[in-house]
Amino acid sequence: MAEDIKAKLDQYRTAPFDARFPNQNQTRNCWSNYLDYHRCQKALTAKGVDITPCEWYRRVYKSLCPMSWVEKWDGQRDDGSFPGKI
Amino acid sequence: MAHQAHAMLYSVDPSPSPLTGAVAALLMTSGLAISMHFHTTTLMSLGLVLLLLTMYQSSRDIIREGTFQGHHTPPVQKGLRYGMILFITSEVFFFLGFFSAFYHSSLAPTPELGGCSPPTGITTLNPFEVPLLNTAVLLASGVTVTSAHHSIMEGQRKQAIQSLTLTILLGFYFTALQAMEYYEAPFTIADGVYGSTFFVATGFHGLHVIIGSTFFAICLLRQAQYHFTSDHHFGFEAAASYSHSCLMSYDSSFTSLFTDEAS
């Protein structure tokens, strides 16, 4: 399982087609992966487990999201004003 | 046949009301914009005074033409009915605009809202508390207004006056309850798109309830002064249609704006 994830991460070039977000507007794709990464990180660190599986979501959102959005959301998370559920 | 039909219609005497009404609308709208930029309500207040004067004079003229001069023959009344139906239809579309604004933002909530509806941080009102009471109050007023209508049609003067008074009191009760809800609400009009859509939609609705109550108050005064007959009481019917449509828009707000899961 861990080997599959590592293999996938080695092969990673950019975010692949995600059938959940088939259209031109990829806002939801970015948002969803940003949330999934931070939820994954929070859940796995709470269990005290290796967070490598979360790395996929991080790669995807880093590929897709505008940097200004990521900076804004990171700032909001630090403030405690981030509107998404993590 | 056309000749005969025209003999039963009438041309209204020249009146300043269209002009004063239009000027009032201009002063109120520009006055509203001015009040937001320069913190002075003079222009808007002037427009409001002119509007009230226009409303008073034009309705007095129509009552004189219809009730006292007998100009509201059946074809004329039919025209007035069409006019009221068209106006009410335009009001329905007016409210539909605010409903679409709400659904536009709530069915596909953006990341800024937290991707959820109601948005993060908004404590919604419980629809089964005051909003439900308000629905009941408006429905009750629908019953009393129907009772008043039947009393008028049956020539029962005293009962008509009682039912009409009760209708107006229910309208005031609604307004008082809604004012209290506004005061106690945990969110304001400035709280994102939820606050905006909520208060604009319910605000315009509340304004329409006040307009309906005012219209019924005029009808009450007229009923007391023997203006209405059992066959001819279009002013009352217009007020009743207007208020019924207002009630319908509250019922639809109730099911959409007030629920906890906004979609």
Side-chain angles (χ1 to χ4, degrees), chain B residues 76-114:
Chain B
V76 172
Q77 235 197 95
K78 198 167 161 201
L80 291 169
R81 279 181 204 282
Y82 276 131
M84 197 63 197
I85 287 166
L86 288 170
F87 173 62
I88 290 172
T89 308
S90 76
E91 295 265 88
V92 168
F93 280 102
F94 180 69
F95 276 100
L96 282 177
F98 295 122
F99 278 104
S100 38
F102 172 76
Y103 282 117
H104 173 88
S105 299
S106 65
L107 291 174
T110 59
E112 286 81 357
L113 305 174

Side-chain angles (χ1 to χ4, degrees), chain B residues 102 124-128 131 135 178 181 194 198 202 250 253-261:
Chain B
F102 172 76
T124 55
L125 301 177
N126 185 343
F128 297 109
T135 306
Q178 192 70 312
E181 274 282 87
Y194 187 86
F198 180 90
T202 59
Y250 191 81
S253 314
F254 183 79
T255 54
S256 59
L257 301 187
F258 293 117
T259 55
D260 280 329
E261 301 159 40

Side-chain angles (χ1 to χ4, degrees), chain B residues 207-261:
Chain B
L207 175 65
H208 283 72
V209 171
I210 292 169
I211 292 169
S213 300
T214 308
F215 203 163
F216 280 130
I218 309 289
C219 289
L220 180 60
L221 287 173
R222 295 185 67 200
Q223 165 68 7
Q225 296 184 341
Y226 302 91
H227 288 198
F228 297 138
T229 72
S230 50
D231 290 325
H232 189 171
H233 43 263
F234 175 69
F236 175 84
E237 287 170 343
S241 313
Y242 185 85
S243 300
H244 275 312
S245 70
C246 208
L247 163 67
M248 292 305 126
S249 95
Y250 191 81
D251 284 346
S252 22
S253 314
F254 183 79
T255 54
S256 59
L257 301 187
F258 293 117
T259 55
D260 280 329
E261 301 159 40

Side-chain angles (χ1 to χ4, degrees), chain B residues 56-219:
Chain B
Y56 174 73
Q57 180 171 282
S58 65
S59 49
R60 185 195 59 181
D61 286 346
I62 295 170
I63 292 168
R64 284 173 176 174
E65 287 157 13
T67 304
F68 299 127
Q69 296 178 326
H71 288 304
H72 288 184
T73 59
V76 172
Q77 235 197 95
K78 198 167 161 201
L80 291 169
R81 279 181 204 282
Y82 276 131
M84 197 63 197
I85 287 166
L86 288 170
F87 173 62
I88 290 172
T89 308
S90 76
E91 295 265 88
V92 168
F93 280 102
F94 180 69
F95 276 100
L96 282 177
F98 295 122
F99 278 104
S100 38
F102 172 76
Y103 282 117
H104 173 88
S105 299
S106 65
L107 291 174
T110 59
E112 286 81 357
L113 305 174
C116 54
S117 191
T120 307
I122 294 283
T123 327
T124 55
L125 301 177
N126 185 343
F128 297 109
E129 290 177 1
V130 177
L132 184 59
L133 174 59
N134 271 342
T135 306
V137 168
L138 287 184
L139 284 170
S141 75
V143 171
T144 54
V145 83
T146 308
S147 168
H149 194 191
H150 283 272
S151 301
I152 290 172
M153 291 191 290
E154 268 141 59
Q156 292 169 328
R157 177 186 163 77
K158 200 181 66 156
Q159 290 86 329
I161 289 172
Q162 282 171 350
S163 302
L164 201 37
T165 308
L166 194 45
T167 307
I168 296 166
L169 288 175
L170 286 167
F172 286 163
Y173 187 33
F174 175 92
T175 304
L177 284 167
Q178 192 70 312
M180 186 222 58
E181 274 282 87
Y182 270 26
Y183 184 75
E184 299 284 340
F187 55 89
T188 71
I189 198 172
D191 286 321
V193 72
Y194 187 86
S196 299
T197 49
F198 180 90
F199 283 106
V200 169
T202 59
F204 270 115
H205 175 264
L207 175 65
H208 283 72
V209 171
I210 292 169
I211 292 169
S213 300
T214 308
F215 203 163
F216 280 130
I218 309 289
C219 289

